[in-house]
Amino acid sequence: MAGSGLVLQLQKQLGDYTTSLFNEGFLDDQFNQLQQLQDESNPDFVVEVVSLFFEDSDRLLNELAKALNYQNTDFRKVDAHVHQLKGSSSSIGAQRVQRVCIAFRNHCEAQNIEGCLNCLQQVKQEYTLVKNKLETKLERQLLAARRSSFPM
Amino acid sequence: MAQSFIMESCNCIEPQWPADELLMKYQYISDFFIALAYFSIPLELIYFVKKSAVFPYRWVLVQFGAFIVLCGATHLINLWTFTMHSRTVAVVMTTAKVLTAAVSCATALMLVHIIPDLLSVKTRELFLKNKAAELDREMGLIRTQEETGRHVRMLTHEIRSTLDRHTILRTTLVELGRTLALEECALWMPTRTGLELQLSYTLRQQNPVGYTVPIHLPVINQVFGSNRALKISPNSPVARLRPISGKYVPGEVVAVRVPLLHLSNFQINDWPELSTKRYALMVLMLPSNSARQWHVHELELVEVVADQVAVALSHAAILEESMRARDLLFEQNVALDLARREAETAIRARNDFLAVMNHEMRTPMHAIIALSSLLQETELTPEQRLMVETILKSSNLLATLINDVLDLSRLEDGSLQLEKGTFNLHSVFKEVLNLIKPVASVKKLLVTLNIASDVPVYAVGDEKRLMQTILNVSGNAVKFSKEGSISMAASVIKPESLREYRTAEFFPVPSEGQFYLRVQVKDMGSGISPQDMPKLFTKFTQTQPLATRNSGGSGLGLAICKRFVNLMDGSIWVDSDGLGKGCTASFIVKLGFPERPYETKLPFAPKVQGNHIQTNFGGLKVLVMDDNGVGRSVTKGLLIHLGCDVTTVGSSDDCMRTVSLEHKVVFIDVSMDCYELASRVRERFGKRQERPLVVALTGNTDKATKDNCIRFGLDGVILKPISVDKMRNVLAELLEHRVLFEAM
């Protein structure tokens, strides 16, 4: 049956892709845990959490851009945002984002505006990367799921 | 003097006679010498008295001296009176004479007193000399005694330094011979028959031949009758150890008895008046032709030595006995050991046999039962079906019998050990009930079960065998009842009431962590007559008349139950009012309380055996507080996956609004005000048992966080990231111990 061959192929592709994500350090074991939590009672768990992550992070990054300026930077507020971002990324398993956040927080404590701005850039970069990767992955996952439910 | 006066008065006669002149001359010379002597004697006296230190009568000597001096003076003065002399001389002469007279009289009187004294001195001197001689003699005696004592000590030491009978006796003879310089020394021992004395040891003769004398000789009797050493005639048979050769005067011979103690009648109170009359005879001979005699101290020495020998011999006898006893014990030990090994071999052989037979017997049984059941499933005519059913029933019975026999034999030799596990006690009873209900309903018997409220749901013990016992007992009740009802009751015996159940063989004691379960099965069946009562629990005896034998039962059931109950530190007994009046079977067993209490109040506690990790928390209500949306969803997903009923809040105020006693756990993501939130929660619910547990989730691994958590009274801290397994363990741990602080 050709259909099942295609499904298998897709699934294999997905598997490879996911592995590459792990290997490149984009995702860590926490993501595995999330995937484990997805079951029949909670079929869209991963999608939900990932979407939530995207929303939250977009919002936080905007706030951070607003808060960081050369005049009166409220480092406490900045730190709070970064803390949130760190929390979210670690809950998802976005390793690289989390790491940048840790560095970001150190700069905040040191009240180093230059450092903070640098980190902000880095965070945005990493976030964009992991977002793209996750979106691709999810698309492929959906595809694989849809294909497998149609015996062709 | 008279002459001179006469001469003066008649101045007419011629001159003196010429012969008188010679006489006068001699007188003159004698007087001179007398005076000389008289003067020199006192001098000599004074000289010698001064020389001697001890002379008590100096005053007498002075007197004597004075007397002699005056006498001498008198005679000296007399010299002048031969010729014409003046009146002065006469006066002097008279004075001297008067003085002399006085002194000499005084001296004479004094001597009357003194001379008896002087004589008595002589007597005293004699007396003292005698005393000195006596003391000398006594000294001699004491010295001899002391020497004797030394000898005795030395002898005793020699004798007692060994516990060997022969050495003792030989040493005695040798030492005695040496000390007393004996010619011969011999020991006569009574023979086994006690009628003769046999010469056992001698000093000089090397190997005494078995020379015997009858024991009842008068001389021997005499010696045996006294505890002193007695002199005996050298001609008596005991003393004649050497052939009489030539003429020689044999030395004196002394004999003394040596008591021989027999171990069996050695009583400390009897010593030295011995209840035994067995003596040996020691004979000692002084050298012949020596004219030596036995002195008293020598005899005493001999007596003392004889006593010591007796003591030493008794010690040696005791030692011999104990050695013999020890050898005997050793032999017995060896024999016992052998017997034990044989018994063990026999048991092993029996066990092997049983094991083999077990298998061998069960295999065909299994085949029969299996095939018969299969056969039952096929198409059969009614007669065939009946036959197959009978085959099945009989083979089932046989299988049970085999099991029972094997079980019992294992129980008998104590190789059966109870298993120990936690099980549901209530369900055991229910299962038994379910098993007997079919049979009971066929017989139209009503079965009821009553479990007391104090019977714990879970208990520790051997579930299988307990069930077997209950099943057997209730099965019997059903078997032997034709009508009526059967009631089963289970209860826990309170520690105070344990004493009521004590019997000669059963001694229950309350102990920590264990309880006594009492089970009673009452039926209204055929009952048991008093004479059959004692045979109930013995193997293979049937108490039913032949007609009712068909109700089955091998007669082993109760015996096995009794064994099981005994293994469980319990007791089983049956009461019956008599034939046809039903009976009540009761038993008590000791079970343990399970270690960790299984909360049956929580709705999610499934049956867990040993492994305490629960996989499904069945609707456990929890509250998750996290201001990070992503984190919130992740934690929620985690908890939902584990089957919890999760409520999420995003802020402290929301949390305080939502939290209630229904929530068992509140997970708070650590942030700045989580400690405050925790305090508020605790304040709200106080220290009640049902209050929700407050647990912090944090990614911080520093100790400060943990310390703060403890300080603010949180019930636990968990490190993020949290995996499913981790959350599962955490929940289980929290619910059991109500506290969890992960090692940071």
Side-chain angles (χ1 to χ4, degrees), chain B residues 50 74 104 182 190 226 260 365 377 386 471 562 628 691 703 712:
Chain B
K50 270 217 159 80
T74 313
S104 50
L182 300 171
S226 152
L260 292 176
M365 278 313 309
E377 306 285 315
L386 198 64
L471 189 58
K562 186 171 164 116
N628 181 310
R691 69 169 171 82
K703 201 169 172 302
F712 283 91

Side-chain angles (χ1 to χ4, degrees), chain B residues 352-379:
Chain B
D352 290 339
F353 169 76
L354 279 177
V356 165
M357 287 311 290
N358 190 355
H359 178 72
E360 298 303 321
M361 285 200 277
R362 284 201 223 252
T363 317
M365 278 313 309
H366 181 74
I368 295 172
I369 293 174
L371 292 172
S372 318
S373 351
L374 281 178
L375 198 57
Q376 242 184 358
E377 306 285 315
T378 62
E379 287 277 334

Side-chain angles (χ1 to χ4, degrees), chain B residues 65 91 127 129 225 262 465 526 528 663 741:
Chain B
V91 166
F127 174 71
K129 221 191 278 188
H262 213 265
R465 293 193 173 105
S526 31
I528 300 163
H663 297 107
F741 281 94

Side-chain angles (χ1 to χ4, degrees), chain B residues 376-627:
Chain B
Q376 242 184 358
E377 306 285 315
T378 62
E379 287 277 334
L380 296 168
T381 69
E383 300 94 43
Q384 285 175 325
R385 189 164 287 277
L386 198 64
M387 285 189 243
V388 169
E389 274 175 9
T390 316
I391 292 173
L392 248 175
K393 248 202 289 196
S394 313
S395 38
N396 273 326
L397 199 67
L398 192 58
T400 317
L401 188 66
I402 292 172
N403 282 340
D404 280 354
V405 169
L406 289 171
D407 255 349
L408 196 64
S409 61
R410 270 200 301 157
L411 278 171
E412 296 268 81
D413 66 38
S415 65
L416 187 77
Q417 272 174 333
L418 289 182
E419 278 154 38
K420 206 166 159 201
T422 315
F423 61 94
N424 187 328
L425 192 55
H426 286 223
S427 60
V428 165
F429 284 105
K430 294 204 184 85
E431 256 184 73
V432 169
L433 196 67
N434 289 336
L435 283 169
I436 64 173
K437 261 211 175 118
V439 186
S441 60
V442 162
K443 285 179 141 186
K444 301 218 180 12
L445 298 165
L446 175 68
V447 184
T448 55
L449 168 64
N450 179 20
I451 304 179
S453 53
D454 55 7
V455 176
V457 179
Y458 289 95
V460 175
D462 190 334
E463 180 187 9
K464 187 171 88 151
R465 293 193 173 105
L466 178 66
M467 173 136 67
Q468 211 173 332
T469 311
I470 304 174
L471 189 58
N472 195 298
V473 166
S474 36
N476 275 350
V478 170
K479 237 186 285 184
F480 294 110
S481 303
K482 292 209 201 84
E483 59 188 4
S485 67
I486 295 172
S487 65
M488 287 180 7
S491 58
V492 169
I493 307 181
K494 293 201 212 336
E496 309 88 64
S497 330
L498 270 176
R499 242 176 288 131
E500 293 165 16
Y501 295 92
R502 276 189 203 162
T503 64
E505 298 123 7
F506 182 48
F507 203 82
V509 247
S511 64
E512 195 62 45
Q514 290 177 316
F515 66 95
Y516 284 91
L517 175 76
R518 191 180 90 141
V519 176
Q520 219 174 25
V521 176
K522 204 171 152 120
D523 70 61
M524 296 178 202
S526 31
I528 300 163
S529 65
Q531 53 256 46
D532 290 330
M533 214 42 118
K535 292 189 270 170
L536 265 181
F537 293 99
T538 53
K539 302 186 282 194
F540 308 120
T541 51
Q542 293 273 38
T543 58
Q544 305 301 311
L546 234 62
T548 55
R549 199 72 76 87
N550 295 332
S551 32
S554 58
L556 276 180
L558 279 177
I560 292 184
C561 287
K562 186 171 164 116
R563 297 286 191 282
F564 285 155
V565 164
N566 283 343
L567 278 173
M568 292 193 226
D569 291 330
S571 163
I572 182 169
W573 68 96
V574 171
D575 296 310
S576 174
D577 287 330
L579 279 171
K581 298 207 179 92
C583 75
T584 311
S586 326
F587 68 86
I588 301 177
V589 287
K590 188 155 81 162
L591 296 170
F593 285 113
E595 271 173 21
R596 301 179 196 226
Y598 286 78
E599 313 262 316
T600 48
K601 298 174 248 173
L602 294 171
F604 58 86
K607 183 165 170 167
V608 179
Q609 293 273 9
N611 179 9
H612 300 293
I613 306 297
Q614 297 165 340
T615 47
N616 185 328
F617 293 90
L620 178 70
K621 264 177 115 58
V622 297
L623 183 64
V624 175
M625 205 299 277
D626 190 343
D627 52 3

Side-chain angles (χ1 to χ4, degrees), chain B residues 662-722:
Chain B
E662 275 179 7
H663 297 107
K664 298 295 171 198
V665 189
V666 177
F667 290 100
I668 303 183
D669 190 81
V670 161
S671 58
M672 280 175 284
D673 61 356
C674 80
Y675 302 121
E676 194 207 308
L677 177 61
S679 313
R680 281 163 73 187
V681 169
R682 280 175 67 84
E683 251 177 65
R684 162 95 64 97
F685 298 106
K687 278 219 187 295
R688 279 184 278 180
Q689 191 67 1
E690 317 84 44
R691 69 169 171 82
L693 297 170
V694 181
V695 177
L697 306 173
T698 176
N700 279 347
T701 55
D702 58 1
K703 201 169 172 302
T705 316
K706 181 173 171 188
D707 288 341
N708 275 336
C709 289
I710 296 175
R711 189 145 48 95
F712 283 91
L714 274 101
D715 296 296
V717 176
I718 306 164
L719 279 175
K720 288 205 280 197
I722 312 174

